[in-house]
């Protein structure tokens, strides 16, 4: 068996403990290995050879890939998955550099969906949490961010996987600023973070509140406090209560305090399980306009409490990369994944800027003076050059195959020539797990009646559309149908196999000039974006309004893009568009990413 076909097995749940049941619950006892392709590198490995890693892909496959190298190695996992909120999350796309002049220069683009049928969500979380457990080290911890929709059942699932004795906290985050008032119930003003450790022997650092004003003697000696401390050269020696501190200093140091010796170091009270932190202000520099972006202050607490510098932190629902950005700032190593290409692009841009901040400081921050792990790589798992996000993908497939969409139907996505079509496994290999939604949603009474009317004929003609599939997929589905007493006619259309015949999107175009040691982008036409903005190529006044970033690798090796130029302008600024070609440049690879996170790439020889 080749290494690529390796399979990882997990321990069965321990019998005799409470278990949650749901429709379509399936045991998850193993996963095959999935290979990943390195696509981009930013910066260099650190002294001990470490490179941070981001993966574009379904985190089930990403974690299956990671098991090979990181099983039992990850120190901290934070995840902020979809909450089963029955909503789609959108990002507002607006032209850069100038105020939107008309409605057409602003539009909303879906980033990820959170609409699930029946208990699909629970099976989705169950499988991913099992993989998280496998990746965690014995002293590691996991924080699962959720809200009232599913926190109660997620806690049950976590107890089943991690053991009830490994429950540590339910942290209440009062998400100030994100409140929706209600006159029918108390407004829901918090999210829950379920904190479990892998074993009773786990890392934990006590945190103190930033606010020290409630500390013992703080108000009494307020006039002497500098940087939350009282130094020997300005101390309330006249106060008899202070003598205790002076005596303690002498006992610890074997001498009298002098000059900038610290006699009292005030700390806020020990941080409890209710956290008051503001949501990201749309106007703050921290905001990267990703829907449901979480504040860095929240991640700082989690990472400081449950990891140490140099530890590996992982977030496989990373969105805008808040966890990764904070991990870098705090001198932790990190891994990350997201299924949405927009999330990968947003995180990459954010980290490129964070690297610059860390490089300026040379270290994490003045107080801690830790080295930052700044190099990172971007990988694809499975074939992800195809679609940027799942919601958009279904629409494009339906369009490209000329099918009739069935948006209200909870069983089928579309119809084509009398066949009912289910689009399975976008950006992932379709397995039996993918069709369980159909099996669970069948109207048994109706199908039984129809089958009785024509007992020898298939009652439904079905087409599964997928991107790669388990070779047993057809047999497994037919077997499932047979168990229920139904005959169906199933065909599988695998678009990875047939994709050459399909045109999904209009290509972008760019005009780039290389003269006198300069590379100049003259024009850029991102066709999908222009279409969404209802702009024709000839009406583009300044192509830079459409661009989020330009990256250039001066010596491209043909496979891995390692940009030396990372032109990622601040929110209301624009890319430069003109770059000095360095001595020694060979094969030049340019990547221009538009506001939709779609990229045009081209290679030139000097
Ligand atoms: C609530 S957002 C995370 C936001 C993030 N904490 C931040 O601060 O920006 C959830 C993310 O999970 C991603 N996601 C959903 N299903 C996924 C899957 N199967 N694999 C990987 N990522 C997934 C979505 O694309 C989305 O970016």
């Amino acid at each position: 068996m080749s290494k690529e076909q390796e399979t990882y097995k997990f321990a069965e749940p321990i019998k005799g403990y409470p278990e949650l049941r749901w429709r379509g619950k399936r045991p998850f006892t193993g996963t095959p290995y999935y290979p990943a392709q390195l696509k981009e590198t930013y910066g260099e490995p650190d002294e001990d050879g470490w490179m941070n890693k981001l993966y574009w892909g379904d985190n089930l496959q990403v974690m299956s890939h990671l098991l090979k190298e990181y099983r039992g190695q990850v120190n901290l996992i934070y995840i902020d998955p979809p909450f089963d909120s029955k909503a789609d999350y959108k990002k507002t796309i607006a032209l850069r550099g100038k105020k939107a002049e008309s409605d057409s220069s602003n539009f909303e683009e879906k980033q990820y969906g959170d609409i699930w049928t029946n208990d699909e969500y629970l099976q989705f979380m169950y499988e991913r949490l099992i993989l998280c457990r496998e990746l965690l080290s014995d002293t590691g911890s996991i924080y699962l961010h959720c809200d009232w929709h599913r926190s109660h059942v997620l806690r049950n699932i976590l107890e089943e996987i991690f053991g009830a004795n490994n429950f540590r906290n339910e942290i209440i985050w009062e998400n100030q600023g994100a409140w929706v008032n209600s006159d029918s119930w108390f407004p829901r003003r918090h999210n829950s973070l379920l904190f479990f450790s892998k074993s009773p022997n786990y890392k934990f650092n006590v945190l103190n509140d930033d606010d020290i004003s409630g500390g013992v003697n703080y108000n009494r000696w307020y006039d002497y406090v500098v940087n939350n401390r009282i130094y020997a050269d300005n101390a309330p020696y006249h106060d008899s209560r202070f003598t205790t501190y002076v005596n303690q200093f002498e006992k610890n140091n074997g001498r009298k305090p002098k000059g900038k010796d610290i006699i009292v170091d005030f700390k806020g009270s020990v941080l409890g399980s209710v956290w008051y932190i503001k949501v990201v202000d749309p106007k703050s520099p921290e905001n990267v306009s990703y829907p449901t972006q979480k504040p860095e202050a929240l991640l700082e607490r989690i990472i400081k409490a449950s990891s140490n510098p140099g530890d590996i932190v992982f977030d496989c629902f990373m969105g805008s990369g808040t966890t990764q950005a904070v991990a870098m700032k705090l001198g932790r190593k990190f891994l990350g994944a997201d299924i949405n290409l927009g999330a990968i692009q947003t995180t990459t841009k954010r980290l490129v800027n964070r690297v610059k901040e860390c490089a300026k400081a040379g270290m994490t921050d003045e107080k801690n003076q830790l080295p930052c792990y700044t190099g990172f790589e971007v990988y694809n798992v499975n074939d992800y050059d195809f679609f940027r996000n799942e919601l958009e993908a279904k629409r494009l497939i339906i369009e490209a195959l000329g099918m009739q969409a069935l948006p209200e139907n909870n069983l089928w996505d579309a119809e084509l020539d009398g066949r009912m079509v289910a689009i399975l496994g976008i950006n992932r290999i379709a397995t039996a797990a993918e069709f369980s939604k159909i099996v669970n949603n069948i109207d048994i009474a109706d199908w039984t009646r129809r089958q009785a009317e024509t007992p020898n004929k298939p009652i439904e003609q079905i087409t599964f559309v997928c991107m790669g599939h388990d070779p047993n997929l057809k047999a497994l589905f037919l077997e499932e149908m047979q168990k229920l007493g139904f005959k169906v006619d199933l065909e599988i259309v695998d678009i990875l196999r047939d994709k050459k015949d399909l045109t999904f999107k209009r290509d972008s175009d760019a005009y780039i000039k290389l003269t006198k040691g300069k590379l100049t982008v003259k024009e850029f036409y991102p066709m999908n974006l222009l279409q969404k903005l209802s702009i024709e190529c000839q009406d583009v006044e300044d192509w830079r309004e459409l661009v989020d970033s330009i990256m250039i690798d001066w010596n491209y090796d043909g496979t891995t893009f390692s940009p030396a130029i990372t032109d990622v302008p601040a929110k209301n600024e624009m890319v430069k568009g003109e770059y000095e070609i360095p001595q020694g440049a060979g094969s030049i690879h340019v990547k221009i990413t538009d506001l939709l996170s779609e990229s045009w790439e081209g290679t030139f020889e000097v």
Side-chain angles (χ1 to χ4, degrees):
M1 187 192 258
S2 81
K3 286 212 158 162
E4 264 62 53
Q5 291 162 328
E6 260 171 60
T7 298
Y8 303 100
K9 293 274 168 221
F10 317 132
E12 296 277 337
I14 309 161
K15 301 252 178 300
Y17 289 95
E19 266 188 38
L20 190 70
R21 292 182 55 190
W22 59 83
R23 269 168 294 177
K25 182 171 184 179
R26 296 177 299 281
F28 185 60
T29 52
T31 184
Y33 173 79
Y34 290 91
Q37 304 87 45
L38 175 63
K39 290 291 182 186
E40 300 176 2
T41 61
Y42 295 83
E44 302 290 327
D46 117 287
E47 278 165 22
D48 61 11
W50 173 263
M51 271 303 248
N52 299 305
K53 292 175 181 63
L54 306 181
Y55 294 85
W56 177 26
D58 181 345
N59 47 22
L60 191 90
Q61 293 179 352
V62 173
M63 288 193 272
S64 305
H65 167 80
L66 289 174
L67 282 177
K68 185 167 176 180
E69 204 177 338
Y70 300 103
R71 194 172 197 172
Q73 302 296 314
V74 173
N75 304 95
L76 167 64
I77 298 179
Y78 163 84
I79 51 171
D80 172 24
F83 289 177
D84 198 7
S85 62
K86 320 269 180 269
D88 284 335
Y89 289 90
K90 298 172 187 152
K91 173 179 176 170
T92 303
I93 309 271
L95 292 186
R96 270 179 182 265
K98 65 174 183 187
K99 290 220 161 68
E101 280 162 6
S102 68
D103 284 343
S104 66
S105 59
N106 249 320
F107 65 92
E108 284 190 324
E109 175 79 352
K110 283 185 195 168
Q111 294 295 302
Y112 67 94
D114 192 8
I115 300 172
W116 307 77
T117 320
N118 292 337
D119 292 338
E120 252 182 89
Y121 176 79
L122 298 179
Q123 183 71 24
F124 171 90
M125 289 307 299
Y126 179 62
E127 293 178 4
R128 279 146 187 89
L129 288 168
I130 289 179
L131 285 166
C132 285
R133 183 182 178 280
E134 294 299 314
L135 285 170
L136 274 181
S137 72
D138 287 343
T139 55
S141 299
I142 182 166
Y143 290 68
L144 168 57
H145 192 138
C146 49
D147 74 357
W148 60 272
H149 288 93
R150 291 296 188 168
S151 58
H152 55 302
V153 273
L154 288 170
R155 171 142 177 211
N156 283 146
I157 295 179
L158 280 162
E159 290 196 358
E160 185 176 327
I161 297 171
F162 285 85
N165 59 328
N166 288 321
F167 166 76
R168 300 289 154 231
N169 281 115
E170 175 174 358
I171 294 162
I172 300 300
W173 170 37
E174 194 189 84
N175 47 353
Q176 297 168 329
W179 298 336
V180 178
N181 282 336
S182 156
D183 49 17
S184 311
W185 49 71
F186 298 108
R188 293 166 182 148
R189 294 186 168 172
H190 75 274
N191 286 179
S192 295
L193 288 105
L194 301 172
F195 164 26
F196 277 73
S197 57
K198 173 126 174 216
S199 73
N201 171 28
Y202 61 101
K203 283 186 189 174
F204 186 73
N205 304 312
V206 171
L207 297 186
N208 294 85
D209 203 324
D210 295 336
D211 180 9
I212 58 162
S213 59
V216 181
N217 294 323
Y218 177 80
N219 288 327
R220 186 180 177 103
W221 299 330
Y222 181 79
D223 292 340
Y224 301 89
V225 177
V226 179
N227 296 335
N228 298 346
R229 290 161 171 169
I230 297 181
Y231 295 98
D233 59 4
N234 179 30
Y237 293 110
H238 61 276
D239 187 334
S240 58
R241 208 183 276 186
F242 192 69
T243 313
T244 322
Y245 291 87
V246 176
N247 291 345
Q248 190 61 45
F249 180 94
E250 290 181 5
K251 196 167 156 210
N252 292 346
N253 297 281
R255 61 173 175 81
K256 290 199 176 308
K258 60 177 182 348
K260 287 290 168 217
D261 284 340
I262 300 161
I263 306 183
V264 185
D265 197 355
F266 286 102
K267 286 201 166 65
S269 49
V270 170
L271 198 63
S273 57
V274 181
W275 296 359
Y276 303 93
I277 298 175
K278 288 202 168 70
V279 293
V280 179
D281 185 320
K283 297 248 176 323
S284 97
E286 189 180 323
N287 176 27
V288 291
S289 306
Y290 195 84
T292 69
Q293 178 186 347
K294 299 300 177 296
E296 292 200 6
L298 183 80
L299 268 301
E300 272 189 36
R301 289 188 177 181
I302 294 168
I303 293 177
K304 283 181 177 165
S306 290
S307 71
N308 291 329
D311 280 353
I312 301 177
V313 176
F314 179 45
D315 179 349
C316 57
F317 291 92
M318 71 179 183
S320 66
T322 310
T323 307
Q324 288 70 19
V326 176
M328 186 186 282
K329 189 168 82 178
L330 296 177
R332 271 64 167 178
K333 299 168 180 165
F334 61 81
L335 302 168
D338 204 288
I339 199 164
N340 175 18
L341 178 58
I344 303 293
Q345 306 280 25
T346 306
T347 302
T348 302
K349 275 192 312 180
R350 188 168 180 181
L351 292 176
V352 164
N353 285 332
R354 183 55 44 101
V355 171
K356 289 177 187 158
E357 287 160 29
C358 284
K360 240 188 254 164
M363 295 281 169
T364 51
D365 60 44
E366 269 176 34
K367 199 164 167 212
N368 295 309
Q369 292 286 299
L370 301 164
C372 287
Y373 296 87
T374 51
F376 67 98
E377 297 171 330
V378 182
Y379 290 82
N380 290 1
V381 176
N382 210 345
D383 188 332
Y384 283 90
D385 287 337
F386 223 56
F387 294 118
R388 41 186 309 278
N389 79 39
E390 191 154 346
L391 295 169
E392 186 75 350
K394 281 202 174 178
R395 192 182 65 70
L396 290 171
I397 290 175
I398 289 173
E399 204 174 276
L401 294 174
M403 302 186 293
Q404 180 68 42
L406 299 174
E408 305 296 323
N409 197 307
N410 68 355
L411 214 49
W412 311 113
D413 295 300
E415 198 210 315
L416 181 65
D417 301 333
R419 303 189 73 86
M420 306 314 289
V421 181
I423 302 176
L424 305 182
I426 297 299
N427 286 341
R428 58 183 173 265
I429 292 165
T431 60
E434 301 286 344
F435 65 59
S436 61
K437 171 185 159 196
I438 299 170
V439 177
N440 292 333
N441 281 319
I442 285 173
D443 181 342
I444 302 281
D446 179 51
W447 280 42
T448 309
R449 181 186 52 73
R450 284 167 53 206
Q451 189 69 79
E453 282 166 13
T454 52
N456 298 323
K457 280 195 179 163
I459 48 161
E460 205 70 91
Q461 294 189 302
I462 299 171
T463 301
F464 284 170
V465 178
C466 57
M467 294 177 64
H469 65 280
D470 177 339
N472 296 324
L473 190 71
K474 186 167 179 173
L476 289 170
F477 185 71
L478 294 180
E479 191 184 306
E480 202 69 39
M481 290 295 99
Q482 203 181 10
K483 270 193 231 156
L484 294 170
F486 305 134
K487 284 194 177 64
V488 296
D489 164 9
L490 175 68
E491 74 167 6
I492 295 182
V493 174
D494 192 323
I495 51 177
L496 279 190
R497 207 174 42 196
D498 309 332
K499 81 174 173 187
K500 281 174 238 79
D501 308 334
L502 299 174
T503 332
F504 287 105
K505 47 186 179 196
R506 299 162 71 198
D507 285 339
S508 297
D509 210 356
Y511 171 39
I512 289 182
K513 222 172 152 184
L514 306 179
T515 39
K516 297 187 191 138
K518 274 208 175 86
L519 181 152
T520 313
V521 182
K522 290 284 189 190
E523 279 155 45
F524 172 58
Y525 302 119
M527 299 312 232
N528 276 327
L529 177 60
L530 293 182
Q531 197 174 23
K532 295 203 168 183
L533 288 163
S534 313
I535 301 178
E536 298 296 328
C537 290
Q538 63 273 18
D539 298 330
V540 175
E541 274 174 32
D542 186 344
W543 59 269
R544 297 179 309 153
E545 289 170 3
L546 307 170
V547 173
D548 241 7
S549 68
I550 294 187
M551 314 248 186
I552 306 174
D553 181 349
W554 300 114
N555 284 293
Y556 182 51
D557 66 7
T559 36
T560 307
F561 179 57
S562 309
I565 297 287
T566 51
D567 186 0
V568 184
K571 228 175 267 168
N572 288 322
E573 289 167 15
M574 295 200 278
V575 288
K576 296 186 193 71
E578 193 173 279
Y579 311 89
E580 296 280 338
I581 303 176
Q583 292 287 331
S587 198
I588 302 177
H589 193 77
V590 182
K591 177 175 173 184
I592 309 179
T593 303
D594 69 21
L595 305 176
L596 284 177
S597 299
E598 288 180 1
S599 301
W600 173 91
E601 297 189 39
T603 308
F604 309 87
E605 300 302 325
V606 202

